[in-house]
Amino acid sequence: MAEESIFAKKPKAEAPAKSAPAPATAPAPAAPKSGGKTGLIITIIILAAALIAAGVVLTIVLINQNNGKKDDDTSIVKDDKKDDKKDDKKDDKKDDKKDDKKGEDNPAIASTDHVRGKRDSKVIVIEYADPQCPGCATVTPIVDEIYEEYGDKVAFVYRHYPLSYHKNAEAAVAAIEAAGNQGYFWEMLSAVFANQSDWEYESDEDDRTAAFVEIFEDIADDGDVDQFKTDLDDSSIADKIKADKKLGSDDNVSATPTILVNGKSITISGTRASLKQKIIDEIKDNL
């Protein structure tokens, strides 16, 4: 049988007897293409999950980095605070040392000295006196007046130098030191000289003590009299007298009163006014 072209027209066939139509043959389903709807959905889900996971990881990394920075910052702040505290302590110690050294650089001031005025001044006035000495009773008030004028510029030092032939001198020194234990050294010193006639020739110990107690009560409104009496017998007073006399020997003191301005002895002579001026002139020359 000859082959026919598939394009050739076929002759019409007679209509067959009617019968139930043969069911149409369903076309074979097409093979799913790669990247179809299902695959696309799956791919989107996977990508979304991957993006979410990546976001979570990135968030965790950023949080950790920020926490690390905070820790570093906190550490820096803590270190800074520690350094500040160390610096403050160093400064405090330096200030304390400076305060402790005031006057120590000048050998004219001893650690046991009674000092008033500008302790670290370059000008130092030293007075050696015996509380029973009549001349000292005249000179000490002059020094008090000069202190009132130059106390903000000059250091004023007082040292005990009781003479052996003044029988009540050491007892008077004890009274001055006993008052000093309660913060009334300079007040008692001036008062003992001002009331010298009340005790200088007193031979009875009790009467002499009573005279010093009366002076103390006059100058110390809130003073403890019982403590004052106890301190009159303080053994350290003898050590103080000994230390002051040793310093006097080093300064070539041979009589009382002796006034030194930066180590230079002022001649005690002339009138009260002229003596005061001599001391002031020497102070001015050294300021």
Side-chain angles (χ1 to χ4, degrees):
M1 183 175 177
E3 292 182 357
E4 295 179 290
S5 170
I6 59 172
F7 296 106
K9 291 183 180 180
K10 293 183 180 179
K12 290 184 181 181
E14 294 180 357
K18 289 182 179 181
S19 62
T25 304
K33 296 180 180 178
S34 176
K37 289 183 179 180
T38 303
L40 180 60
I41 292 171
I42 292 172
T43 301
I44 291 172
I45 292 172
I46 292 172
L47 289 174
L51 289 172
I52 292 171
V56 171
V57 172
L58 181 60
T59 302
I60 292 172
V61 171
L62 291 173
I63 290 172
N64 288 336
Q65 288 179 347
N66 288 335
N67 286 339
K69 288 181 180 180
K70 287 180 180 178
D71 291 340
D72 292 341
D73 292 343
T74 302
S75 177
I76 291 170
V77 171
K78 286 181 180 178
D79 291 340
D80 288 343
K81 287 182 178 179
K82 287 180 182 179
D83 291 339
D84 290 342
K85 287 181 180 179
K86 287 179 182 178
D87 291 339
D88 290 341
K89 286 181 180 179
K90 286 180 181 178
D91 290 339
D92 290 341
K93 287 180 180 179
K94 286 179 182 178
D95 291 338
D96 291 341
K97 287 179 180 179
K98 286 179 182 178
D99 290 339
D100 292 341
K101 287 182 178 180
K102 282 182 178 179
E104 291 183 3
D105 292 337
N106 193 322
I109 295 181
S111 60
T112 56
D113 278 336
H114 292 287
V115 186
R116 59 180 171 171
K118 192 176 187 299
R119 186 182 179 91
D120 58 349
S121 173
K122 65 180 180 179
V123 180
I124 301 173
V125 175
I126 300 177
E127 176 185 6
Y128 287 93
D130 174 339
Q132 197 174 340
C133 162
C136 297
T138 299
V139 171
T140 297
I142 296 174
V143 176
D144 288 343
E145 291 174 9
I146 298 172
Y147 162 71
E148 291 298 327
E149 295 178 36
Y150 290 89
D152 60 335
K153 299 176 183 177
V154 176
F156 291 82
V157 176
Y158 180 89
R159 291 174 182 165
H160 301 295
Y161 207 90
L163 303 174
S164 59
Y165 56 85
H166 285 153
K167 302 304 181 183
N168 288 337
E170 290 195 7
V173 170
I176 295 165
E177 288 291 326
N181 290 343
Q182 298 186 46
Y184 292 100
F185 177 86
W186 299 103
E187 293 86 351
M188 192 67 176
L189 178 67
S190 296
V192 163
F193 278 118
N195 296 279
Q196 193 179 71
S197 60
D198 293 341
W199 56 266
E200 61 179 331
Y201 297 121
E202 188 61 67
S203 58
D204 184 84
E205 183 177 348
D206 291 338
D207 290 342
R208 185 182 61 207
T209 298
F212 290 137
V213 168
E214 185 176 351
I215 294 171
F216 177 71
E217 289 177 328
D218 286 342
I219 59 98
D221 294 336
D222 58 348
D224 186 331
V225 174
D226 291 334
Q227 186 62 51
F228 174 76
K229 290 179 180 178
T230 299
D231 289 345
L232 289 174
D233 296 323
D234 189 343
S235 60
S236 66
I237 294 172
D239 294 333
K240 169 61 175 168
I241 292 173
K242 183 178 180 180
D244 283 2
K245 283 197 167 185
K246 172 63 171 60
L247 292 169
S249 177
D250 294 341
D251 285 335
N252 298 314
V253 174
S254 59
T256 60
T258 293
I259 303 294
L260 305 174
V261 178
N262 279 14
K264 180 180 179 179
S265 182
I266 304 298
T267 303
I268 307 298
S269 62
T271 65
R272 190 177 186 281
S274 65
L275 175 59
K276 179 179 178 180
Q277 191 58 51
K278 279 194 289 186
I279 298 173
I280 290 175
D281 288 344
E282 193 64 34
I283 289 173
K284 288 181 177 179
D285 287 344
N286 285 275
L287 280 176

